[in-house]
């Protein structure tokens, strides 16, 4: 399973995340060309090589009408409403998936600002994060993640900095209130730097795209990108993006087995249902030949070690066995995810497994069966119709 790990030892800003992902992309100049062609008025995006604490990486600069972000000045930073930003995004030449992600990031920002300032989302006016340079960061990160297509994104605990920062509203504590709101439930810390290490844009991007937060998982590294911040700190001011293959998931489970030759099929079926309802990973039977030439069944219950006592009790309660055998097993698994897709026939849930160099998916049987029953179709006909619908939707997306 392809994974990106963001290491945020110096915090995170939108341009740092964008720069780190540019280093992971095989054709970064193509991405810059696309950002310069999406229709943001007066915007020119460029990249440069920066060195922080002896480490070479990438920085991104945005010029608006020939002026850099610093030259534009705080006085030129008029507010932008969420609807105005959405109108700007809608007019851009973005793939639909990228557009929806960019809008999703801005929704998180708007909700955080709304909570902090006590105003409805519709009345929120962005200042720093509402400028075109921030739009470039959000769109650029969304576009790069769309093209790199990681199956999982994990983020380290985030250094948010400390001290105070001056912004449009005045002097605020670091981390800024909107940053803390966005990072509720996320592991954060404040290092020795008395600087704003994590910006609202960076916090929103990480919160929106991250699947998990924590230490670096076991993975095989394929490429590393360094996104440099604009300031020089005593520690390397960068976001490090590590791209690679996540190690296959492995866990230990128990096999609880017993032989049965004096139970009715109804009673065996009830025992299976009871074990599954109690949380067993799987329960199944196998035909076997037993002593005195009696046909019987081998009942096998798979469970986690913490469920052992509960499952043994249920086996003795709901079967006629006099003994239960226990075997410890290691199992490897594909990473399992579930998504849903809207179709002309309603919502269809898709189960997906990936890892070990394979990816497979299938639609939820109950959803297909419901469509088949309601439309007087066979299951195969429903599958063919949905496959054609998927191709049609993909072909309707406007390419760059």
């Amino acid at each position: 399973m392809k994974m990106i790990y963001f290491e945020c030892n110096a915090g995170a800003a939108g341009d740092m995340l964008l720069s780190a992902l540019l280093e992971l992309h095989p054709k970064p100049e193509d991405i810059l060309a696309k950002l310069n062609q999406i229709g943001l008025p007066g915007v020119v995006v460029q990249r440069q090589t920066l060195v922080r604490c002896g480490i070479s990486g990438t920085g991104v600069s945005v010029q608006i009408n020939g002026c850099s972000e610093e030259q534009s000045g705080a006085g030129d930073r008029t507010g932008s409403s969420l609807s105005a930003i959405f109108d700007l995004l809608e007019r851009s030449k973005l793939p639909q998936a990228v557009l929806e992600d960019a809008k999703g990031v801005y929704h998180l920002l708007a909700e955080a600002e709304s909570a902090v300032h006590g105003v409805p989302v519709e009345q929120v006016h962005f200042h720093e994060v509402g400028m075109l340079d921030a739009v470039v960061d959000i769109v650029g990160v969304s576009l790069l993640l769309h093209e790199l297509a990681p199956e999982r994104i994990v983020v380290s605990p985030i250094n948010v900095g400390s001290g105070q920062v001056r912004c449009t509203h005045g002097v605020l504590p670091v981390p800024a209130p909107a940053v803390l709101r966005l990072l509720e439930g996320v592991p954060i810390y404040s290092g020795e730097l008395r600087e704003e290490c994590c910006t609202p844009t960076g916090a929103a991007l990480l919160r929106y795209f991250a699947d998990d937060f924590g230490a670096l998982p076991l993975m095989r590294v394929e490429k590393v990108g360094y996104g440099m911040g604009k300031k020089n700190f005593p520690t390397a001011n960068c976001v490090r993006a590590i791209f690679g293959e996540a190690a296959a998931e492995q866990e230990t489970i128990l096999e609880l087995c017993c032989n049965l030759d004096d139970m009715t099929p109804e009673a065996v079926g009830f025992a299976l249902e009871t074990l599954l309802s109690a949380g067993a990973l799987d329960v199944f039977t196998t035909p076997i030949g037993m002593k005195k030439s009696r046909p019987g069944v081998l009942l096998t219950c798979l469970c986690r070690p913490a469920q052992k006592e509960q499952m043994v009790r249920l086996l003795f309660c709901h079967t006629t066995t006099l003994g239960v055998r226990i075997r410890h097993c290691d199992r490897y698994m594909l990473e399992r995810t579930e998504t849903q897709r809207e179709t002309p026939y309603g919502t269809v849930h898709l189960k997906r497994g990936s890892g070990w160099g394979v990816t497979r998916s299938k639609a939820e049987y109950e959803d297909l069966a419901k469509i088949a029953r309601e439309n007087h179709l066979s299951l195969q006909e429903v599958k063919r119709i949905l496959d054609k619908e998927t191709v049609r939707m993909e072909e309707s997306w406007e390419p760059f």
Side-chain angles (χ1 to χ4, degrees):
M1 176 177 58
K2 296 300 181 183
M3 182 176 76
I4 291 178
Y5 183 75
F6 286 111
E7 187 180 77
C8 302
N9 294 338
D15 62 310
M16 295 166 72
L17 293 167
L18 172 58
S19 300
L21 290 172
L22 272 176
E23 291 212 332
L24 297 183
H25 197 278
K27 297 181 179 179
E29 294 303 327
D30 289 354
I31 296 296
L32 292 176
K34 291 174 180 179
L35 290 176
N36 285 318
Q37 293 168 10
I38 61 176
L40 296 178
V43 170
V44 176
V45 187
Q46 298 173 317
R47 71 168 179 154
Q48 55 187 323
T49 299
L50 298 176
V51 177
R52 299 287 181 255
C53 293
I55 300 173
S56 177
T58 294
V60 171
S61 64
V62 178
Q63 288 196 335
I64 304 171
N65 297 321
C67 297
S68 67
E69 304 157 61
E70 292 78 11
Q71 291 171 333
S72 63
D76 298 330
R77 295 188 166 223
T78 55
S80 300
S81 67
L82 187 64
S83 61
I85 292 173
F86 279 10
D87 287 342
L88 182 66
L89 294 173
E90 292 283 358
R91 293 195 301 271
S92 66
K93 303 170 185 177
L94 291 172
Q96 188 63 32
V98 177
L99 174 63
E100 292 304 319
D101 281 340
K103 291 167 69 173
V105 174
Y106 265 111
H107 261 302
L108 285 181
L109 281 166
E111 289 168 357
E113 295 287 348
S114 170
V116 168
H117 299 298
V119 299
V121 169
E122 299 77 24
Q123 296 180 20
V124 168
H125 267 64
F126 299 103
H127 297 283
E128 283 78 2
V129 298
M131 298 311 299
L132 290 174
D133 49 286
V135 176
V136 168
D137 295 339
I138 291 172
V139 169
V141 170
S142 301
L143 175 61
L144 279 158
L145 288 175
H146 176 71
E147 296 211 355
L148 292 168
E151 297 164 88
R152 189 168 183 235
I153 296 174
V154 182
V155 179
S156 73
I158 303 168
N159 184 352
V160 293
S162 63
Q164 295 177 320
V165 62
R166 182 176 297 278
C167 67
T168 305
H169 297 287
V171 178
L172 298 179
V174 171
V179 170
L180 279 181
R181 184 79 182 192
L182 286 161
L183 297 181
E184 286 182 356
V186 172
I188 63 173
Y189 66 97
S190 178
E192 298 179 358
L193 292 174
R194 293 189 62 79
E195 297 278 353
E196 182 187 30
C197 293
C198 186
T199 67
T201 305
L205 284 165
L206 293 175
R207 187 59 186 263
Y208 180 83
F209 286 108
D211 297 302
D212 199 5
F213 293 84
L216 176 65
L218 189 64
M219 66 183 296
R220 290 186 293 274
V221 178
E222 296 177 10
K223 199 169 185 179
V224 180
Y226 291 88
M228 300 309 191
K230 291 181 171 58
K231 295 182 179 179
N232 266 308
F233 296 151
T235 58
N237 184 18
C238 67
V239 166
R240 182 158 63 175
I242 306 172
F243 182 80
E245 184 79 19
E249 191 173 352
Q250 178 185 355
E251 69 173 343
T252 299
I253 62 170
L254 302 181
E255 255 189 23
L256 310 182
C257 303
C258 58
N259 296 359
L260 307 168
D261 66 356
D262 56 352
M263 290 180 64
T264 65
E266 292 90 348
V268 172
F270 183 79
L272 266 63
E273 292 172 3
T274 302
L275 290 162
L276 286 170
S277 297
L281 298 172
D282 197 6
V283 187
F284 56 92
T285 59
T286 307
I288 57 173
M290 296 178 60
K291 62 185 178 181
K292 300 182 181 179
S293 301
R294 295 174 184 169
V297 295
L298 168 64
L299 189 155
T300 304
C301 172
L302 304 182
C303 69
R304 293 188 170 89
Q307 300 172 294
K308 179 178 69 173
E309 299 295 330
Q310 178 190 16
M311 295 301 160
V312 169
R313 275 199 188 88
L314 290 174
L315 282 168
F316 282 127
C317 177
H318 294 285
T319 74
T320 57
T321 188
L322 298 177
V324 176
R325 301 182 299 280
I326 299 178
R327 182 185 303 128
H328 289 74
C329 303
D330 291 332
R331 74 167 181 172
Y332 290 88
M333 298 169 290
L334 297 182
E335 179 74 15
R336 302 176 215 186
T337 58
E338 183 174 305
T339 58
Q340 61 183 41
R341 200 178 86 209
E342 297 301 324
T343 76
Y345 300 96
T347 301
V348 174
H349 293 81
L350 301 174
K351 296 178 179 178
R352 188 169 187 270
S354 60
W356 292 86
V358 302
T359 298
R360 58 173 67 104
S361 63
K362 63 181 294 185
E364 173 61 50
Y365 164 77
E366 295 297 342
D367 294 341
L368 297 182
K370 180 174 181 289
I371 292 173
R373 285 192 292 266
E374 292 177 350
N375 295 275
H376 307 290
L377 299 169
S378 70
L379 280 175
Q380 291 304 317
E381 287 174 315
V382 173
K383 289 179 180 178
R384 282 196 297 269
I385 291 170
L386 294 182
D387 287 342
K388 289 179 181 178
E389 179 67 18
T390 298
V391 172
R392 186 193 66 77
M393 291 173 65
E394 290 176 349
E395 289 177 346
S396 68
W397 292 346
E398 292 185 8
F400 269 109

